[in-house]
Amino acid sequence: MQRRAVSELLRVSPVADDLARRFQEAGFSLALVGGSVRDALLGRLGNDLDFTTDARPEDVLKIVRPWADSVWEIGIAFGTVGCQKDARVGDTDQRFQVEVTTYRSEAYDRTSRKPEVSYGDSIEEDLVRRDFTVNAMAVALPEKEFIDPHGGLDDLAAHVLRTPGTPEESFSDDPLRMLRAARFAAQLDFDVAPEVVAAMKDMAARIEIVSAERVRDELNKLIISAHPRKGLALLVDTGLADHVLPELPALRLESDEHHRHKDVYDHSLIVLEQAIDLEEAEPDLVLRLAALLHDIGKPRTRRFESDGRVSFHHHEVVGAKMTKKRMTALKYPNELVKDVSRLVELHLRFHGYGTGEWTDSAVRRYVRDAGPLLGRLHKLTRSDCTTRNKRKAMALSRAYDGLEERIAQLKEQEELDSIRPDLDGKQIMEILGIGPGREIGEAYTFLLELRLENGPMGHDEAVAALKEWWAARG
């Protein structure tokens, strides 16, 4: 670990040491800290560097402004100054994102949604207020002195998350750290120490004082991590999910010997993992959220039928509404809310067409309804098969292969990505001899339905169909 750390630190030395000398000349200390030290020890230090200093924010600004290529003060109320520095490292030009934070301590009161910040005078005081021991290590610069007062190196080697002080004190200071425990467990594939899990269970309700935006940001980091199931399970098991994403634990529907059905909670986590396996490059937050939430409408729509079966009629429609409501409450951007809820609504559409041959009309409508989400809908639908019956799984896979082949064939013959009627609004008005109004919209809808049902029509055929429709209206 230490050899990896030395290698990583040598790589960023042109930037880190240069900045440290400037602080030293101004009479201040500077240390690489937190996640940067942890990642250096793990051999995965990137170009986002976190530093801590005894300099106050106004002094930090004086030091970094002549040095950095750009500076921002968005976090200065919390003691953080951000900047960007372009530097030559070896044979390449690289861009570094740097944050310098004044030694600090922060705590919540019982009603506040924002931490109260006070500055400290020593790095030891700063490290003890950090969330976990693996993030409470520092490297003093430029001399490269390793500082680890809370055994973070040992915990890093053991792959365990502990708090520098008692977890109760840590989570009382900032309840968001309970979510961060789940996030780091998912990102690093670490285990959470038993005393930390116990505190999370006891203090779960305290997460309510944290703003929706901060909760959302932590959930996003958890969901796009390498092992999201591990973090999500921890949220559910500790009761935190009851406060931040209650639709997830609600999927653990009780079943009995008379009304057997899939464990919807476990099924949803498997669908998430299978969707991740289909990602092509970077983590896809839209796809992962849709996979996680696709069945959240089932608890509200569950019905016990007279023949002993359990049904969930229209759970995709109910689930889409629930998804929109929860994501809106967590202050997700409107476009993201729209995309995820639309995927939840469409995730059963494939099964509505059965396993028979898809008609051209059905293919067109499927593509039109999915729009730009078609690629994600393919992945979500394939991921939603968790049956242990290999014959059934193969049949579903072949059926979806057939659908994708039909889409590809039709795309070679006609424009599917933006299906429009063969006549536009201006042409409709000219042919019918009327001005703008409700009738034009109705005529457009009629022609669109013809286009979806029959494919492209020639101009003369479309004109004839329009005139026939108009005449039938009297």
Side-chain angles (χ1 to χ4, degrees), residues 435-451:
R438 176 174 52 84
E439 292 88 352
I440 303 303
E442 293 174 354
Y444 189 91
T445 300
F446 164 74
L447 291 171
L448 178 59
E449 285 298 315
L450 278 185
R451 170 71 175 80

Side-chain angles (χ1 to χ4, degrees), residues 423 431-432 446-447 450 457 460-474:
L423 302 172
I431 293 166
L432 299 184
F446 164 74
L447 291 171
L450 278 185
M457 303 169 66
D460 293 343
E461 187 181 359
V463 170
L466 176 63
K467 287 181 176 180
E468 183 180 349
W469 171 82
W470 185 245
R473 290 169 57 93

Side-chain angles (χ1 to χ4, degrees), residues 216 220 284-287 289 323-324 327 331-343 373 376:
R216 174 204 63 208
N220 285 349
D284 186 341
L285 180 62
V286 172
L287 175 63
L289 282 169
T323 297
K324 182 178 180 181
M327 291 185 67
K331 304 299 178 66
Y332 276 94
N334 291 336
E335 195 63 29
L336 196 65
V337 174
K338 178 182 175 184
D339 286 349
V340 175
S341 56
R342 183 62 169 159
L343 284 171
L373 297 171
R376 289 184 171 117

Side-chain angles (χ1 to χ4, degrees), residues 107-398:
Y108 281 76
D109 63 31
R110 291 286 176 183
T111 59
S112 173
R113 286 184 174 268
K114 295 182 179 179
E116 299 174 356
V117 176
S118 60
Y119 299 126
D121 297 313
S122 71
I123 193 167
E124 289 77 15
E125 185 181 358
D126 180 83
L127 293 177
V128 76
R129 58 150 290 276
R130 302 253 163 188
D131 50 9
F132 302 104
T133 60
V134 296
N135 296 329
M137 298 178 284
V139 176
L141 300 172
E143 57 270 21
K144 307 287 194 304
E145 178 192 351
F146 183 57
I147 303 170
D148 180 22
H150 304 289
L153 185 61
D154 289 339
D155 286 342
L156 194 66
H159 289 193
V160 66
L161 292 172
R162 301 183 194 277
T163 53
T166 68
E168 290 79 10
E169 290 174 335
S170 181
F171 298 156
S172 181
D173 284 347
D174 186 353
L176 189 69
R177 290 173 177 172
M178 293 184 285
L179 277 186
R180 287 168 65 85
R183 189 251 288 189
F184 283 125
Q187 281 185 335
L188 303 173
D189 196 19
F190 280 18
D191 294 323
V192 181
E195 69 274 14
V196 176
V197 173
M200 291 168 69
K201 290 179 178 179
D202 291 342
M203 302 179 67
R206 188 150 169 76
I207 197 68
E208 298 279 356
I209 72 166
V210 180
S211 69
E213 291 86 352
R214 295 184 75 209
V215 169
R216 174 204 63 208
D217 291 346
E218 283 299 323
L219 282 176
N220 285 349
K221 292 172 184 176
L222 189 163
I223 289 169
I224 64 171
S225 68
H227 308 278
R229 179 170 184 160
K230 188 168 191 172
L232 291 166
L234 183 60
L235 292 184
V236 171
D237 293 343
T238 58
L240 275 165
D242 293 332
H243 302 278
V244 300
L245 194 62
E247 295 80 5
L248 184 59
L251 292 174
R252 295 187 296 186
L253 298 174
E254 61 282 344
S255 59
D256 57 47
E257 59 182 339
H258 302 295
H259 300 105
R260 295 180 181 176
H261 54 79
K262 278 184 182 177
D263 180 340
V264 185
Y265 168 71
D266 190 59
H267 164 77
S268 297
L269 295 180
I270 294 173
V271 172
L272 171 61
E273 291 179 319
Q274 295 184 163
I276 291 172
D277 290 339
L278 295 178
E279 290 175 339
E280 296 165 6
E282 298 298 316
D284 186 341
L285 180 62
V286 172
L287 175 63
R288 293 190 183 197
L289 282 169
L292 180 64
L293 302 175
H294 76 285
D295 272 347
I296 62 172
K298 279 190 170 180
R300 291 190 183 180
T301 58
R302 184 173 64 159
R303 298 290 182 272
F304 297 119
E305 306 295 349
S306 57
D307 60 1
R309 293 182 302 108
V310 179
S311 67
F312 304 96
H313 295 308
H314 307 300
H315 75 269
E316 73 280 11
V317 177
V318 173
K321 293 178 180 177
M322 293 172 64
T323 297
K324 182 178 180 181
K325 182 177 180 180
R326 174 55 52 196
M327 291 185 67
T328 300
L330 288 170
K331 304 299 178 66
Y332 276 94
N334 291 336
E335 195 63 29
L336 196 65
V337 174
K338 178 182 175 184
D339 286 349
V340 175
S341 56
R342 183 62 169 159
L343 284 171
V344 171
E345 183 181 4
L346 293 175
H347 83 272
L348 281 185
R349 184 68 59 88
F350 164 74
H351 300 282
Y353 292 107
T355 57
E357 180 67 24
W358 283 62
T359 65
D360 288 352
S361 173
V363 172
R364 292 188 193 101
R365 293 176 190 278
Y366 192 83
V367 174
R368 189 273 307 268
D369 291 346
L373 297 171
L374 181 63
R376 289 184 171 117
L377 183 58
H378 286 331
K379 294 183 178 72
L380 177 60
T381 304
R382 289 186 179 277
S383 302
D384 196 21
C385 177
T386 61
T387 179
R388 295 179 182 177
N389 186 320
K390 292 184 178 180
R391 182 180 299 177
K392 183 178 180 181
M394 287 297 295
L396 285 170
S397 180
R398 285 194 299 269

Side-chain angles (χ1 to χ4, degrees), residues 2-34:
Q2 290 174 330
R3 282 197 300 270
R4 286 199 298 263
V6 169
S7 175
E8 294 287 271
L9 291 173
L10 286 174
R11 183 181 66 81
V12 303
S13 283
V15 172
D17 289 351
D18 183 23
L19 184 59
R21 280 191 293 269
R22 291 172 180 267
F23 274 79
Q24 204 171 49
E25 290 167 1
F28 299 109
S29 300
L30 187 73
L32 196 68
V33 73

